[in-house]
């Protein structure tokens, strides 16, 4: 039985201990290997035994999860708590034999956007409300879903923002989860970013784009029912639903918009932030699905994100979108700066100048230049 916010009640975990069969023996074997798992010192034979025991326990959990959870809770080990914790600990304990690694040519790194957004990892896109980050994320989602036009999802000189090798030429499935905008607004925006200036945005090429309306729904990550936001959180029913959808559709991109609705724990607690990002990052790697989270920066100037420093530390990429006030009499933003605050797999790219392309009835982002300069003139000026 689950509560309204999707968390299991404590009573649901109560039950009888495992019977002395193959499953209970597997649990005992796993607990005997606990110290080596935690220390990361499993031998190859120990790792093989741990994987076999884990597979046996998985089958048992399908039949009687309450008995398994009670047995884990009784075990004298720090690995208690959940099968997910045991799984992550064992799977990340896989030994690396340096001699084997040294003689094997590494696989090419996978990118959602070349040199700017790694595939299968967690990334943040931050910006003030109204800056246009949701539209930029939707334009990216449409590009990934359609495969782009010659790999481009945004009009840019010198192909500076090309889709990467993780996106098939004919596009890939994308899940865009929004707690803010209704489906009709997405239709309007998709219509605005289509047209002759963006030939890859066509209705027949957007069947891979799945819009999930979560207005009024709960977060994907939250503390157990009745617990304070400062306590350890976990994935919710909403989060599980989104993951199942992504896995079913083999999605290459999941957008969570915004972080404030998706994450219900303390954003300033380093351990809680790290647990959330790491958990989704591990899932993203296992399923080759990039998780792009949209967030607001703090009210204080000079920071691109709010909360703990681990938002930047744990994410593999951090972008920020900032409006630049023009020198025109109306002081309206005409140029926006897309800054790449963090990228773990190469030199930090230069900021890009973005502007609104208002050709015809369209309204879409395009790249104005590669070198940041707030005094943009001529062809880079935004049409009102």
């Amino acid at each position: 039985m689950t509560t309204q916010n999707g968390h299991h009640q404590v009573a649901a975990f109560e039950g009888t201990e495992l019977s002395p069969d193959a499953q209970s023996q597997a649990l005992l074997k796993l607990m005997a290997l606990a110290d080596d798992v935690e220390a990361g010192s499993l031998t190859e034979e120990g790792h093989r035994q741990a994987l076999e025991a884990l597979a046996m326990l998985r089958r048992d959990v399908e039949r009687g999860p309450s008995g398994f959870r009670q047995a884990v809770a009784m075990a004298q080990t720090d690995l208690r708590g959940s099968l997910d914790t045991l799984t992550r600990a064992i799977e990340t304990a896989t030994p690396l034999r340096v001699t084997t690694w040294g003689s094997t040519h590494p696989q090419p790194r996978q990118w959602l956007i070349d040199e700017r957004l790694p595939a299968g990892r967690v990334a943040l896109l931050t910006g003030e409300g109204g800056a246009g980050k949701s539209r930029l994320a939707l334009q990216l989602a449409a590009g990934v879903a359609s495969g782009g036009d010659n790999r481009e999802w945004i009009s840019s000189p010198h192909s500076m923002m090309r889709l990467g090798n993780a996106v098939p030429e004919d596009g890939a499935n994308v899940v865009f989860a929004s707690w803010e905008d209704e489906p009709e607004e997405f239709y309007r925006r998709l219509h605005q970013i289509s047209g002759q200036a963006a030939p890859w945005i066509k209705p027949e090429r957007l069947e891979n784009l799945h819009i999930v309306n979560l207005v009024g729904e709960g977060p994907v990550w939250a503390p157990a029912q009745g617990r304070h936001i400062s306590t350890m959180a976990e994935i919710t029913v909403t989060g599980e639903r989104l993951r199942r959808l992504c896995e079913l559709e083999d999605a290459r991109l999941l957008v969570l918009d915004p972080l404030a609705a998706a994450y219900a724990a303390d954003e300033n607690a380093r351990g809680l932030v790290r647990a959330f990002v790491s958990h989704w990052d591990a899932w993203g790697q296992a399923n080759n699905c990039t998780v792009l989270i949209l967030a607001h920066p703090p009210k204080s100037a000079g920071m691109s994100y709010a909360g703990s420093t681990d938002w930047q530390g744990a994410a593999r990429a951090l972008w920020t979108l900032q409006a630049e006030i023009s020198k025109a009499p109306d002081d309206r933003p005409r140029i926006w700066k897309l800054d790449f605050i963090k990228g773990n797999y190469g030199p930090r790219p230069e900021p890009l100048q973005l502007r609104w392309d208002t050709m015809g009835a369209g309204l879409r982002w395009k790249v104005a230049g590669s070198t940041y300069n707030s005094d943009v003139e001529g062809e880079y000026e935004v049409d009102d």
Side-chain angles (χ1 to χ4, degrees), residues 131-262:
K133 56 186 180 296
S134 293
R135 287 179 180 268
L136 183 62
L138 181 61
Q139 189 166 329
L140 171 60
V144 173
S146 65
D149 183 28
N150 294 321
R151 312 298 291 171
E152 290 194 8
W153 63 277
I154 187 170
S155 178
S156 65
H158 312 301
S159 300
M160 291 179 294
M161 294 279 274
R162 290 172 61 87
L163 296 174
N165 54 2
V167 182
E169 291 185 1
D170 56 351
N173 279 296
V174 176
V175 175
F176 196 117
S178 174
W179 283 261
E180 294 188 334
D181 296 308
E182 69 280 6
E184 289 76 12
E185 180 59 26
F186 280 96
Y187 299 152
R188 285 189 287 268
R189 292 181 178 182
L190 286 170
H191 180 74
Q192 288 175 333
I193 64 176
S194 63
Q196 294 182 353
W200 39 269
I201 301 294
K202 296 179 180 179
E204 64 271 19
R205 300 185 69 180
L206 289 181
E207 61 182 6
N208 295 329
L209 179 55
H210 306 268
I211 305 297
V212 180
N213 180 17
L214 293 177
V215 175
E217 297 288 336
V220 301
W221 194 262
Q225 184 183 29
R227 303 299 296 274
H228 191 267
I229 62 170
S230 63
T231 59
M232 190 59 71
E234 59 189 13
I235 192 169
T236 65
V237 168
T238 301
E240 294 284 9
R241 286 172 50 206
L242 283 178
R243 285 188 178 182
R244 284 197 297 271
L245 175 60
C246 291
E247 292 166 8
L248 178 65
E249 300 294 342
D250 194 24
R252 290 292 172 266
L253 174 64
L254 168 64
V255 179
L256 301 178
D257 183 20
L259 174 64

Side-chain angles (χ1 to χ4, degrees), residues 312-349:
Q312 178 172 339
R316 296 299 87 190
L318 173 60
W319 299 3
T320 183
L321 184 63
Q322 298 175 324
E324 293 295 317
I325 303 300
S326 71
K327 295 183 179 180
D330 56 12
D331 281 339
R332 284 186 294 175
R334 295 177 182 272
I335 295 296
W336 283 256
K337 181 177 69 168
L338 181 63
D339 203 355
F340 305 96
I341 304 297
K342 178 184 179 181
N344 283 78
Y345 305 118
R348 175 179 171 181

